[in-house]
Each structure stands twice: as structure tokens, then as C-alpha cells.
Amino acid sequence: MGISIAVHSSKGGSGKTSFSINLAFAYTSAGKSVCLLDADFKAPSLFNYMFPDSDRWLNDVLDGKCDIMDAIVEVADDTVAPGKLYVGYCNPDIDAVREMSGKDRKWQSKALQNIMGVKKKLFSSGIDVLIIDTGPGVDFTSVNAIAAADYVIMVTKPARSHQKYMEQIIDGIYIPLGKDYGVIMNKCHDNKPIAIPGLVDPDIPVVASIPCLCDIATRSDSEVLTVADPEHPFSKAVFTVVRTIEDCLSNK
Amino acid sequence: MTIDDSNEEIVNLLKEISGKLDRILMQGTSTKESDEGIFDVLDVMTLLTLPDHLRATATALFELGSATAEDLAEKTHKERAVESNYLNQLVRMGHVVKGRSGRKVYFSIGEGLGK
Ligand SMILES: Nc1ncnc2c1ncn2[C@@H]1O[C@H](COP(=O)(O)OP(=O)(O)OP(=O)(O)O)[C@@H](O)[C@H]1O
Ligand SMILES: [Mg+2]
């Protein structure tokens, strides 16, 4: 059986999409078959600028109108070796985004059932790791992805606004849904793991901290750090997360 | 006070009363709906409002798709009879539906009994 990971945050811009892409490549570099899905239906991540295009959307998969295997495309270049990488996108067209935000609860219930089906289908088709890049905060699209995950990565910033809400999300969503989770402190200042002392509850598992470095932003448009620069602090944090998830899930 | 003036006053009063009635009617329907989530479709937000034991059962059912009490018990590590009881409770709440296939009873996520 494969594992599914949701990458989430309490507020926007913490580094979820950057982390998801690098995580996908950390797994492919270890020879895994990975499926990376953009499930930020309100504000699509649009990471297809670095991957091949697709004309089928996850929106239709959640709607039960399209098979997941038809909605993902293979990224076939040598940066992926020795593993395999498939990507799927949500529809960035404004009409689709508007439609998605008006879905009722009945539809969302079906969507969650369809996501569970997607997981089973991908794993039975040989995918080892499913990574879902979600939107920030609490809405149906992000919480449905969390519900389908075996492990949730909360990417947060050392800012009061991010962390206050993070604690609520952990207590009000992750824990009641019985999720294993870990926190990534991204964009830390002064290279200190937790820049605001005393803010994070000592019970919250901080798996890795990443300094705020301009080259993470500038290089990300043209390369994947876990492939191009495995010794970079960002890459090292990603590999730490891979090991942590493995330990966590193998103990079950 | 002229006739026009009092007519206007009556119309304004009627508008005020009508507005109050609308609000009362709206409150009436919303309290009925939020009756502890009963009869609602089981979406993930409703799932989060369920008591722990029912949430565990319902979450496992989402994962499995369609399952017998036996399958559920295996997943949640509880007694079959306990799961069966929880599942039937969820059926009565409209969250889960029950169907028969041969001698087995299968449960799956329902569509709610409400509108
Ligand atoms: N440690 C870091 N140091 C500096 N810049 C970073 C760091 N991590 C990410 N960034 C940059 O921050 C910006 C936002 O990152 P990203 O898009 O990954 O966040 P996100 O959480 O997915 O945002 P959204 O909530 O909008 O989806 C990007 O330009 C990214 O390159
Ligand atoms: Mg993003």
C-alpha cells in the first residue's frame, strides 16, 4: 500500500507548494513512484509551468466525471530518475474556480468519497506516494484532502498570526480526524528554528526548520532544490521529513 | 395627520412586521437544521462535529467506501457488535445507509434525509 500526504498551512504563502514539489522529487530520487496533485482549487498553485500540460482536471475527478488515471500526466525527464512522477492539476479557469466555491455539502461529501477512491486507484496502479498540495486554512477542499491523508504536513511561518491559528487547526481538525502530522517552520529568521520564543506549544511536533533565504525563492522557478542542491537547508529539511514520515507510519 | 401620511406609516409598519416574520421563519428553519446534525448529509465538516466514537466509525467508513460491521470492526479494532450499534446510530441520523447483498448487510455514506 502507498502513503498519502497532505501539505497544508493555517494561512497562505508559507511555502506549501514549494515544499510539495521538493518532497515529490525527494521521493523520486529514492526511486519511488509519486503522484503530485494541486488541490488548491480556490487559488491554483499552477506548478504546471515546470511540468507538462494536461487538458483534464481534478475538478472533474472529484465530480466523478473523470477517472484519476486520465487526469494525471507523467513528468518524463531525467530529473525524476530513478523514480516516476505524475502530476494532476485543478482547473485554473476562473469559471471553474467560481463553480468550485459554490459546491454544496452534498457534493463535498461525494467529493470526499471520490478522493478516497482516487487514493485506492493510484495505489493499486503502482503509485507509492500521493502528495496533495492544498489551499491554506479551513474549507472543504483543504479539509477533504486532509481527511484522505495518512500524514499531514503543516507548513508554517514563525509569525504570531500563523501560529495561533495553526494550533486551532491541529486541535480542531487534525487530531479529531485522527491524523499523524508534523510541523515545518519555514522562512525562519536569523537561522533560528523557532524565532518567536514560547509561541509554539511544546507538544506540537516541529519536524524541521528552514531559514528564510532569497535563493529559495529565486531558484525555485528554474530548478528543484532537492535535485539540484541536496545539501541546501531547504532540501535537507525535506529529506528529514521523508525520514520522519517513514518512521511514523512504519510504527503503525 | 393626512391620509397619505397615515398610509405611509401603515406601510412602513407592515414592512417592519414582514421583516421580523422573515427573520423568525429563518431562525425556525436553521434551528431545525442544526438539530445536532441529524438528518444532514455527512460531509467532512459535519463529521468533525460528531462525538468521538461515531466520528471514528464514520471516518473508517469513508475510507472503506462500502463495508460490513465486521470490516469496520477490523479497521477500528473494536467489537463487531459495538460497530454495528454505532453504524445503526449513524443510519438513524441519516448519515449512513444500509443495504443487503445476499446474507450480508453493507453500510455506506448516505445522502442525508434532509432537503
Ligand atoms: N524558506 C524560504 N525562504 C524564502 N522564500 C521562500 C521560502 N520558502 C518559500 N519561499 C517563497 O515564498 C513564496 C511562497 O511560497 P509557496 O508558493 O510555496 O507558498 P504556499 O504556501 O504554497 O502559498 P499559497 O498559500 O499561496 O498556496 C514563493 O515565492 C517561494 O519561492
Ligand atoms: Mg500554494
Side-chain angles (χ1 to χ4, degrees):
Chain A
M1 260 300 253
I3 56 169
S4 55
I5 301 166
V7 183
H8 184 230
S9 69
S10 59
K11 291 170 77 71
S14 63
K16 292 177 293 300
T17 301
S18 316
F19 200 88
S20 302
I21 294 171
N22 279 277
L23 185 66
F25 280 87
Y27 278 111
T28 58
S29 71
K32 302 282 189 198
S33 260
V34 179
C35 179
L36 171 64
L37 301 180
D38 175 5
D40 194 350
F41 291 91
K42 272 188 305 188
S45 307
L46 290 174
F47 47 56
N48 42 343
Y49 67 85
M50 53 194 303
F51 300 131
D53 271 332
S54 166
D55 54 359
R56 309 297 280 276
W57 307 109
L58 295 177
N59 308 51
D60 298 322
V61 175
L62 295 201
D63 215 1
K65 285 192 208 134
C66 176
D67 191 297
I68 182 66
M69 303 316 282
D70 295 328
I72 54 177
V73 285
E74 183 168 9
V75 179
D77 64 51
D78 24 308
T79 56
V80 171
K84 280 184 176 301
L85 177 62
Y86 301 84
V87 286
Y89 315 110
C90 55
N91 191 343
D93 189 273
I94 192 65
D95 290 334
V97 175
R98 268 188 349 223
E99 193 190 325
M100 199 64 180
S101 64
K103 295 295 189 192
D104 66 6
R105 298 176 34 220
K106 217 171 214 170
W107 189 91
Q108 296 292 357
S109 171
K110 275 274 182 293
L112 177 54
Q113 293 170 61
N114 287 333
I115 299 173
M116 295 297 187
V118 160
K119 222 170 96 169
K120 280 185 201 152
K121 186 75 176 271
L122 288 172
F123 294 160
S124 69
S125 309
I127 295 292
D128 303 307
V129 186
L130 167 62
I131 299 170
I132 310 178
D133 179 19
T134 75
V138 176
D139 73 355
F140 274 109
T141 58
S142 56
V143 181
N144 275 348
I146 291 163
D150 300 313
Y151 193 96
V152 185
I153 298 174
M154 156 68 80
V155 183
T156 191
K157 291 202 295 189
R160 277 178 198 278
S161 57
H162 279 247
Q163 293 186 6
K164 275 279 164 234
Y165 193 35
M166 163 182 94
E167 294 177 9
Q168 288 215 43
I169 289 180
I170 290 173
D171 292 340
I173 309 276
Y174 300 176
I175 293 175
L177 288 176
K179 297 301 161 186
D180 287 307
Y181 65 94
V183 172
I184 311 301
M185 284 283 169
N186 191 22
K187 305 193 182 183
C188 293
H189 313 298
D190 309 328
N191 219 347
K192 288 206 196 89
I194 296 163
I196 300 175
L199 195 59
V200 171
D201 181 334
D203 294 338
I204 289 178
V206 177
V207 177
S209 301
I210 305 170
C212 189
L213 299 170
C214 285
D215 75 327
I216 295 175
T218 53
R219 294 173 70 180
S220 293
D221 272 351
S222 54
E223 55 189 358
V224 175
L225 288 171
T226 42
V227 175
D229 193 352
E231 291 303 313
H232 192 284
F234 193 93
S235 309
K236 281 186 168 169
V238 174
F239 289 113
T240 302
V241 170
V242 170
R243 284 192 299 274
T244 305
I245 293 177
E246 192 177 311
D247 289 348
C248 172
L249 297 182
S250 65
N251 282 340
K252 298 199 104 182
Chain B
M1 206 188 252
T2 65
I3 298 220
D4 272 357
D5 276 348
S6 40
N7 274 350
E8 197 180 318
E9 202 174 320
I10 289 169
V11 168
N12 283 340
L13 278 172
L14 281 174
K15 276 187 188 156
E16 205 177 297
I17 292 168
S18 155
K20 278 184 182 161
L21 273 176
D22 279 348
R23 280 193 294 279
I24 290 169
L25 285 173
M26 299 251 288
Q27 273 171 10
T29 50
S30 68
T31 45
K32 211 190 277 163
E33 248 179 22
S34 63
D35 226 358
E36 288 164 36
I38 287 178
F39 306 141
D40 275 348
V41 61
L42 191 56
D43 59 85
V44 77
M45 302 301 175
T46 309
L47 184 72
L48 282 162
T49 65
L50 293 177
D52 288 351
H53 59 289
L54 294 182
R55 192 171 56 242
T57 300
T59 307
L61 190 57
F62 262 113
E63 289 266 356
L64 293 174
S66 166
T68 63
E70 194 102 55
D71 302 333
L72 254 301
E74 200 176 305
K75 191 152 175 83
T76 60
H77 309 292
K78 288 177 189 156
E79 289 292 315
R80 196 205 71 88
V82 172
E83 281 304 344
S84 175
N85 178 15
Y86 294 167
L87 283 163
N88 283 307
Q89 218 167 311
L90 288 164
V91 170
R92 286 194 296 279
M93 294 166 90
H95 294 327
V96 165
V97 286
K98 198 167 158 172
R100 212 170 264 281
S101 168
R103 296 187 56 200
K104 287 194 167 169
V105 176
Y106 283 91
F107 295 87
S108 54
I109 302 298
E111 297 202 334
L113 304 176
K115 44 174 179 82

